[in-house]
Amino acid sequence: MSSWALSERPRLRSPGRLKYDKARQSDLLLLPERVVELNEAAGAILWLCDGNRSIAQLIQELEAKYGQTGLADDIVDFLASAEERGWLER
């Protein structure tokens, strides 16, 4: 698993895109030939991966949104896992 620097700006790997499914009440990651139903945390992180925000900014926004601190390691671990799966690019 490669590590991400807090200054990097992850984005969804094209042609992947996110969609909110009202019927399932969850976020979906639409990829060629497959659909991934995301849990709340994964969806919250991926929606912020627009190539404009740094990882440090993602962490700050998510900690503020959920009123928690110390989420950095979990977020960076998720980003590394998402990159391995081909969902994100640097």
Side-chain angles (χ1 to χ4, degrees):
M1 214 182 296
S2 63
S3 186
W4 288 73
L6 294 181
S7 60
E8 289 187 85
R9 299 176 185 276
R11 64 188 169 279
L12 285 179
R13 183 179 302 277
S14 184
R17 64 187 179 91
L18 291 168
K19 175 186 176 192
Y20 182 75
D21 184 314
K22 290 179 185 169
R24 292 185 179 137
Q25 294 191 343
S26 66
D27 292 311
L28 302 177
L29 175 59
L30 308 177
L31 300 165
E33 301 181 22
R34 67 184 170 156
V35 175
V36 180
E37 187 171 353
L38 302 170
N39 65 28
E40 182 181 352
I45 295 168
L46 290 178
W47 277 107
L48 297 178
C49 292
D50 57 8
N52 296 318
R53 293 175 179 90
S54 69
I55 293 173
Q57 290 170 312
L58 293 177
I59 293 166
Q60 191 175 26
E61 284 187 46
L62 291 165
E63 287 182 343
K65 178 178 180 177
Y66 292 102
Q68 295 182 9
T69 58
L71 299 179
D73 289 345
D74 290 337
I75 292 170
V76 171
D77 287 348
F78 173 79
L79 294 172
S81 175
E83 181 185 32
E84 280 185 358
R85 291 183 173 118
W87 300 354
L88 292 175
E89 58 190 14
R90 294 171 190 245

